[in-house]
Amino acid sequence: MEQDKYLSVEALTKYIEKKFEVDPYLKNIYVKGEVSNFKQPVSGHMYFTLKDEGAELRCVMFQKSAAKLGFKPEDGMQILLTGRVSVFSKGGRYQLYAEWMEPDGIGSLYIKLEQLKKQLDKEGLFAQNRKRALPSFPAKVGIITSKTGAAIRDMITTMKRRMPSTEILLFPTIVQGDTAAPNIVRNIERANFRNDIDVLIIGRGGGSIEDLWAFNEEIVVRAVADSDIPVISAVGHETDTTLTDYVADVRAATPTAAAELAVPDYRDLLERIAERRFRLIQAMRQRVDVSKQNVDRKRERLIMHGPKRQIEQYQERTDYYVERLERGLKQHLMMKKYAFERLSFRLTHTGLDREIDQQQQHLATLNKDLKQQMSRLVTMKRRDFLQKVEALEHLSPLALLKRGYSVVYKEDEILTSSKDISVGDPIQITMATGKIHAKITKKEDK
């Protein structure tokens, strides 16, 4: 029976849980502290510890409440939290079930804005190298804003004043409230679906951060980044800055400033055209003057060195050579004439027949002398020849043989000494007429 007074753990925990639930103060409690050990698994529930210098409190926020937050808690963040305190029976501990929280000191929207800005900047959506230049002379400008706001009137008035020829196409848009962001995105897509818009202005007039919040929504920022049309962001006043300003190609301080950036002022253009026309005329005049000077110089060179001048020079040279030729011919003719006259004079005074007779007589004399000299020369040559023949006759071996001498040979060698032969050697003896073959029978040497 003693054991009946003991409670089970579960029964005791249920008892304590009932105590927490009946306490009206714990049903709606306000607590502030520092976030620690924050975790958010795929279920979307948030688990963390709220602590201060004296204590720690386990906290949980279910996914349905967490989805309503405009920021994501982080470790070390000071927060204000509302909820209820109860017992988690399985773990045997009490914890705070948070239903709402916000940053302590700064607004949740600011935290959400900074977190989204950091994320998009990390993705490169705000990079300067993504931004495009606006067309200088847009034919059609699209405007995404409220059709009833002052901003659209200011933009239309400004653009019509600056460039009346530019066509303006308004996309009536909800720019504030929960439906603003998807409506802005849809109109950006509609504008890009067309192929005739050169510049797109997205914006609205001034307001609080909550009023301008649609232009901080992630879907709007990404739609602006994906736009094929260059975008001018014109949200709020000059001091208002939204994430659309960061991602747009050009940020305008106000809607009116956006209209001034979108289209040029035709009066400025006229002034620039007039100025350039004046400069162009001046440049053309200078160029014409330079061209005239060049033409004058070339004309002078043409006169001095042109074909006409060259023909004149050639003509002058021709005249000079013709004159020299005529003078030379005259001199040559004069010399020939003079020689002819001298020859004619000689022929006239000596007579040609007489000169021929004299030449023939002189030729006959020369012929006679030549014959006489040749006869004497032949006689002298004949006598010399006979004398040399006679001398040769005296020196000839045949003459000696005829006088009784003979020549002794031994084997075709002439013997001149008995020492060159031996007894019994055959010999040949050549005489004036005939040969004798003999043999040595005796010899006597000297």
Side-chain angles (χ1 to χ4, degrees):
M1 296 301 289
E2 283 290 332
Q3 293 186 351
D4 293 341
K5 64 179 180 183
Y6 290 97
L7 298 174
S8 66
V9 177
E10 181 179 4
L12 179 58
T13 302
K14 291 290 185 183
Y15 176 78
I16 295 173
E17 183 177 2
K18 291 292 183 182
K19 286 292 184 181
F20 275 84
E21 290 178 353
V22 298
D23 188 332
Y25 182 75
L26 295 179
K27 288 184 179 178
N28 188 21
I29 193 167
Y30 296 80
V31 185
K32 65 178 181 180
E34 178 183 331
V35 176
S36 177
N37 297 321
F38 178 83
K39 296 177 181 177
Q40 188 175 24
V42 294
S43 63
H45 305 325
M46 293 180 177
Y47 300 94
F48 56 95
T49 299
L50 194 65
K51 66 179 183 180
D52 56 19
E53 295 178 353
E56 294 183 354
L57 177 63
R58 295 279 300 176
C59 300
V60 58
M61 176 176 271
F62 294 123
Q63 186 273 337
K64 187 175 181 181
S65 298
K68 297 178 181 178
L69 297 181
F71 71 103
K72 187 175 182 179
E74 297 175 352
D75 288 346
M77 182 181 292
Q78 294 290 332
I79 61 171
L80 303 175
L81 186 149
T82 60
R84 61 184 175 87
V85 177
S86 185
V87 174
F88 178 55
S89 57
K90 291 294 183 182
R93 62 178 183 271
Y94 77 92
Q95 60 186 14
L96 191 152
Y97 292 88
E99 297 174 350
W100 178 253
M101 73 171 76
E102 62 181 330
D104 184 11
I106 55 176
S108 60
L109 286 180
Y110 178 78
I111 296 295
K112 181 179 180 180
L113 177 66
E114 289 300 315
Q115 289 177 342
L116 181 58
K117 178 182 175 183
K118 184 177 179 181
Q119 174 190 340
L120 297 177
D121 187 31
K122 187 177 180 180
E123 294 180 17
L125 268 66
F126 303 153
Q128 288 297 320
N129 57 10
R130 293 187 68 258
K131 298 185 183 300
R132 296 159 294 186
L134 301 178
S136 301
F137 304 101
K140 182 177 290 186
V141 177
I143 300 177
I144 295 177
T145 191
S146 172
K147 65 178 181 181
T148 58
I152 183 60
R153 293 196 299 272
D154 293 342
M155 285 189 280
I156 292 176
T157 302
T158 301
M159 280 194 284
K160 288 298 181 185
R161 184 185 71 248
R162 291 173 62 84
M163 185 58 69
S165 62
T166 301
E167 185 178 352
I168 301 172
L169 183 61
L170 173 63
F171 295 89
T173 306
I174 301 171
V175 294
Q176 183 175 335
D178 294 338
T179 59
N183 191 246
I184 294 171
V185 172
R186 186 163 55 253
N187 282 323
I188 292 174
E189 293 173 349
R190 288 176 57 203
N192 276 272
F193 184 75
R194 303 170 63 102
N195 294 320
D196 57 346
I197 297 177
D198 300 311
V199 179
L200 197 59
I201 299 176
I202 300 173
R204 53 154 290 162
S208 64
I209 185 172
E210 289 80 6
D211 295 338
L212 306 180
W213 189 252
F215 296 92
N216 288 322
E217 292 288 354
E218 184 176 355
I219 58 172
V220 174
V221 177
R222 292 191 182 280
V224 172
D226 293 339
S227 174
D228 294 330
I229 306 171
V231 175
I232 301 175
S233 176
V235 181
H237 301 299
E238 185 170 359
T239 55
D240 298 326
T241 302
T242 65
L243 297 183
T244 302
D245 295 333
Y246 289 102
V247 75
D249 296 289
V250 176
R251 186 250 176 178
T254 63
T256 302
E260 293 176 348
L261 291 171
V263 297
D265 192 329
Y266 77 96
R267 291 163 295 191
D268 294 339
L269 292 177
L270 291 177
E271 290 182 2
R272 288 165 59 187
I273 292 172
E275 180 186 358
R276 293 189 179 185
R277 180 175 180 274
F278 174 76
R279 292 167 59 185
L280 180 62
I281 292 174
Q282 290 295 105
M284 291 298 295
R285 286 177 177 172
Q286 292 178 357
R287 189 159 186 173
V288 169
D289 291 341
V290 172
S291 298
K292 285 182 177 179
Q293 294 174 2
N294 290 334
V295 170
D296 292 341
R297 285 196 296 269
K298 290 179 179 178
R299 183 187 294 114
E300 291 177 359
R301 285 202 299 268
L302 190 62
I303 293 173
M304 294 298 296
H305 305 287
K308 184 178 179 180
R309 179 59 180 167
Q310 291 183 2
I311 291 172
E312 292 176 352
Q313 291 178 350
Y314 287 139
Q315 187 65 47
E316 186 178 356
R317 291 180 186 176
T318 302
D319 295 341
Y320 170 74
Y321 289 127
V322 169
E323 182 182 354
R324 288 187 58 185
L325 182 61
E326 290 177 351
R327 187 166 59 247
L329 285 173
K330 287 181 179 178
Q331 292 178 353
H332 182 72
L333 290 175
M334 289 292 293
M335 292 176 64
K336 292 295 182 183
K337 182 179 179 181
Y338 177 71
F340 176 77
E341 289 176 351
R342 283 197 309 169
L343 181 60
S344 178
F345 177 80
R346 283 176 53 192
L347 291 174
T348 302
H349 289 79
T350 58
L352 183 59
D353 295 338
R354 181 180 176 186
E355 186 170 351
I356 292 173
D357 292 339
Q358 290 177 350
Q359 292 298 331
Q360 286 179 343
Q361 291 177 5
H362 179 66
L363 182 60
T365 302
L366 292 176
N367 190 26
K368 182 180 179 181
D369 292 341
L370 179 61
K371 288 181 178 179
Q372 291 176 352
Q373 290 180 5
M374 288 188 65
S375 178
R376 285 196 296 272
L377 181 60
V378 169
T379 302
M380 289 175 62
K381 292 297 182 181
R382 183 177 295 162
R383 185 171 59 249
D384 291 340
F385 175 75
L386 294 175
Q387 289 176 350
K388 289 179 180 178
V389 169
E390 184 179 358
L392 288 174
E393 287 291 336
H394 287 294
L395 294 176
S396 174
L398 295 176
L400 291 175
L401 294 177
K402 288 180 178 178
R403 287 198 298 268
Y405 293 96
S406 60
V407 179
V408 180
Y409 293 87
K410 179 185 178 183
E411 296 177 353
D412 298 333
E413 293 289 336
I414 298 174
L415 290 175
T416 58
S417 174
S418 60
K419 295 178 180 178
D420 297 330
I421 196 168
S422 301
V423 176
D425 290 340
I427 58 175
Q428 296 85 34
I429 301 170
T430 300
M431 293 176 288
T433 56
K435 288 183 180 180
I436 296 174
H437 296 274
K439 183 176 290 184
I440 301 301
T441 59
K442 185 181 178 181
K443 74 171 186 174
E444 294 178 1
D445 298 325
K446 291 183 179 179

